[in-house]
Amino acid sequence: MAGILGAVVIMLPQHDGAEPCLRTGVMALSIELGDVSRAVSDALAGTGEEGATVTPREAEAALEHVADLERATAKLRFQLARMSKPSEAPP
């Protein structure tokens, strides 16, 4: 069904209450990825200023969405990196 609609389905992690930040992080990634995809699709749709040619303004708008995606990725990477290191017992 997603293919028919031209969409991508992203499976979210099961939420058991233990790590809500991870589920939120994956949702943030999917939202930002959707924004990037929409900006690029709009630029290529042929309805913009110069038809199907991506203009500098359209490229800049897409780059802003890519920066948001990179921030969401960095935040999730930080959360996972913290979890991957065993906590140190106090001396």
Side-chain angles (χ1 to χ4, degrees):
M1 182 183 272
I4 293 170
L5 296 173
V8 175
V9 174
I10 298 173
M11 299 302 295
L12 295 175
Q14 293 296 319
H15 180 58
D16 63 2
E19 294 297 341
C21 66
L22 293 181
R23 184 175 173 91
T24 302
V26 172
M27 285 190 293
L29 283 175
S30 64
I31 290 167
E32 298 303 343
L33 182 58
D35 289 347
V36 170
S37 176
R38 189 170 21 266
V40 172
S41 294
D42 289 349
L44 295 173
T47 59
E49 301 162 355
E50 294 184 22
T53 301
V54 178
T55 67
R57 186 184 331 206
E58 291 168 327
E60 185 63 34
L63 282 171
E64 289 177 20
H65 290 298
V66 169
D68 292 340
L69 176 61
E70 289 172 337
R71 279 189 284 276
T73 301
K75 184 175 180 180
L76 183 58
R77 183 185 313 117
F78 176 77
Q79 291 167 337
L80 289 168
R82 262 193 350 203
M83 292 174 191
S84 71
K85 297 176 185 168
S87 59
E88 297 178 19

